[in-house]
Amino acid sequence: MSDTLLTIDKLSVGFKRSKSIETVTYNVSLEIKRGETLALVGESGSGKSVTANAILKLLPKGAAYYQTGAIHFDGLNTLTCSERQLRGIRGGRIGMIFQEPMVSLNPLHKIGKQLVETVAVHRGIRQTKAESLAIEWLTKVGIHQPEQKINAYPHELSGGERQRVMIAMALINEPELLIADEPTTALDVSVQAQILDLLKSLQRELGMAMLFITHDLSIVRRIADRVAVMQHGHLIEVNDCRTIFAQPSHAYTQMLINSDPSGFPVAVNAQTPVLVKTDKLRVWFPIKGGLFKRTVDHVKAVTDMAFSLQQGHTIGLVGESGSGKSTTGMAVLQLVHSQGSIQYQANELQGLNRKQMLPYRSKMQVVFQDPFSALNPRMSVAQVIGEGLTVHTNFDSTEIEHAVCDVMREVGLDPSSRHRYPNEFSGGQRQRIAIARALVLKPEFILLDEPTSSLDRTVQSQVLELLKSLQSKYGLTYLFISHDLSVVRSLCHYTLVMRHGRVIEEGETQQLFTYPVQEYTQELVSLSAL
């Protein structure tokens, strides 16, 4: 048996654009040995995911063209083999974890059914045994209360929980090769460490090989045996992990290594007034049961949250997935029902109806985590950015167009591209569009819910610098939700650490990260330093 499990030989892939074919990867050649981990790194649009998806011919039919090359998995050319042979490999001998779990999971089926189907198709295991195996794997990937969560629909889980379900689905059949496309993007550092340790232990147990696609070089250091670097569709450097980090041969690789978030939050006036204040904020979701569907318990998403956010300052919310960070943000914006006090410029927001909240909507904006699903694909960029102006202002079409062009320049986008659609932009550009959409209404407060987590490090640094410059220029106030402590350290003046819906520690960011008191905070800080 050969040591080499997968060979990619001079692969060039193109996509149909109008009447021509645009090549996006050029003569890519890689080998993955049995049991090893190869990390594939590079900026958004470099060709990493295209290369990975080509292995199982998952690129869209009719649009993608395999122009040159071959891909051999255990001697079988996956580009020329039959669809039946491919189906036997997909999900069985080769597992795949995708970056966007909400796109990959069926929203109409409970997660238990989706896991059981995966086992049934490839291993022929009976229903009862398959269900117990599904619960076992949900436990392995760190899902709390797996017996309950197995009956949940994808939308009832947090982003991190959905990603863990995807990991369980990819590994439940114990594949020979795992293709992991940004599998830990949505996870906080503690769960990320658990998942990486799990993958490594399973790799040893099963002799499994991994193709690990990521923009986080700290993960590459921890998990990879070898590293392949891509830029603009070209493979520019391949070497063992230690050599790549100690002596990178290419300037681009050096730039990637040096692109971790750095610097400190913008200078602020300590005497500015409080803009947003919460006290005893509580978000409890009722659990119904029995014949009459009475409330038998509650999911205590947020309990007794209290903070004061001054004008022009940034507060960071950190904690593991499901700790209540995003729920807190949604409650502040009055997008979920809550109890307790929420004040904006000393005005109480609790109890206001939709009409009464309208004046605050333009002042309070949000930028979401996923730049791919946050933008309406049927609207042009001009329509996406200008939509809020049509709702909250009396601007005519000319004034709206001028405002859209101005804000696009502000966030580093070319206004001439405003008539294009979101799918024509990279992830980093889409996040700039999302920031422009929030900024065009000239808000005072912006909720930033993991706005950089799905971006590669170089683009992440650019977006962070953009957020800082906008805050400095306009005195913007941010509530910043993140699981990446290096990003929080760079942007946030004050930080709250959440766990199980409660704040367990808080303080000035630099002080908190230098001298954490709680054991959980100490764990987060130590893991982020790896």
Side-chain angles (χ1 to χ4, degrees), residues 48-336:
K48 308 185 301 294
S49 293
V50 169
T51 301
N53 280 294
I55 293 170
L56 291 173
K57 290 187 74 173
L58 294 175
L59 297 171
K61 290 181 180 178
Y65 290 82
Y66 303 94
Q67 296 169 298
T68 65
I71 301 175
H72 288 98
F73 173 72
D74 199 18
L76 179 71
N77 188 347
T78 62
L79 295 184
T80 58
C81 71
S82 69
E83 190 64 29
R84 184 178 179 181
Q85 287 174 305
L86 263 183
R87 281 198 300 270
I89 294 172
R90 289 180 186 142
R93 297 183 68 190
I94 299 180
M96 191 155 187
I97 306 169
F98 297 96
Q99 183 175 351
E100 299 171 59
M102 271 308 277
V103 175
S104 305
L105 294 172
N106 190 327
L108 302 178
H109 293 162
K110 295 176 180 179
I111 62 166
K113 181 179 180 181
Q114 297 184 57
L115 284 164
V116 167
E117 280 182 349
T118 302
V119 178
V121 167
H122 292 283
R123 296 169 69 176
I125 296 176
R126 290 183 178 180
Q127 179 82 13
T128 306
K129 188 176 180 182
E131 286 179 0
S132 64
L133 189 63
I135 290 172
E136 178 187 332
W137 273 94
L138 289 179
T139 305
K140 278 187 176 184
V141 297
I143 295 281
H144 300 300
Q145 301 174 316
E147 294 84 0
Q148 294 179 20
K149 295 289 174 66
I150 199 169
N151 293 313
Y153 289 95
H155 73 271
E156 297 178 297
L157 304 179
S158 70
E161 287 173 326
R162 289 193 290 264
Q163 194 67 296
R164 278 176 266 181
V165 171
M166 282 295 302
I167 292 168
M169 197 174 293
L171 296 180
I172 198 168
N173 287 315
E174 301 180 0
E176 297 164 58
L177 171 65
L178 177 66
I179 302 171
D181 190 354
E182 303 276 10
T184 58
T185 292
L187 306 180
D188 59 89
V189 289
S190 59
V191 178
Q192 185 180 87
Q194 295 167 20
I195 294 298
L196 293 177
D197 289 343
L198 171 65
L199 290 175
K200 288 165 77 173
S201 67
L202 285 167
Q203 190 171 27
R204 286 191 295 269
E205 180 185 332
L206 305 173
M208 181 177 70
M210 275 197 287
L211 176 60
F212 202 98
I213 300 168
T214 183
H215 62 257
D216 190 336
L217 295 188
S218 63
I219 293 176
V220 174
R221 287 179 190 268
R222 292 187 60 181
I223 202 167
D225 299 308
R226 291 189 301 125
V227 182
V229 183
M230 291 190 73
Q231 183 186 28
H232 304 317
H234 295 273
L235 194 63
I236 61 169
E237 186 168 0
V238 182
N239 216 323
D240 66 87
C241 189
R242 183 175 295 181
T243 303
I244 284 281
F245 282 98
Q247 296 174 310
S249 63
H250 200 284
Y252 175 72
T253 309
Q254 183 67 57
M255 185 195 73
L256 289 180
I257 293 170
N258 294 332
S259 62
D260 280 350
S262 59
F264 297 96
V266 300
V268 290
N269 180 356
Q271 305 305 316
T272 54
V274 172
L275 183 69
V276 179
K277 183 178 181 180
T278 69
D279 187 42
K280 296 182 180 176
L281 180 64
R282 179 175 292 187
V283 183
W284 287 11
F285 299 106
I287 300 173
K288 305 287 185 179
L291 182 63
F292 299 103
K293 298 296 180 184
R294 293 191 176 98
T295 300
V296 296
D297 202 350
H298 289 85
V299 175
K300 299 175 181 179
V302 178
T303 301
D304 295 337
M305 164 64 76
F307 65 81
S308 294
L309 177 52
Q310 293 173 261
Q311 176 75 47
H313 290 231
T314 303
I315 284 182
L317 288 182
V318 302
E320 62 190 5
S321 177
S323 63
K325 306 186 301 294
S326 294
T327 304
T328 298
M330 294 298 103
V332 169
L333 294 177
Q334 293 285 279
L335 296 176
V336 296

Side-chain angles (χ1 to χ4, degrees), residues 262-267 465 468 488-493 510:
S262 59
F264 297 96
V266 300
E465 289 307 311
K468 286 185 186 180
V488 173
R489 189 191 290 265
S490 174
L491 188 69
C492 300
H493 303 93
Q510 305 306 321

Side-chain angles (χ1 to χ4, degrees), residues 411-413 427-437 462-463 466:
V411 300
L413 293 169
Q429 289 171 323
R430 292 188 211 196
Q431 203 60 292
R432 288 174 184 267
I433 294 167
I435 293 170
R437 176 175 60 183
Q462 294 165 15
V463 171
L466 171 63

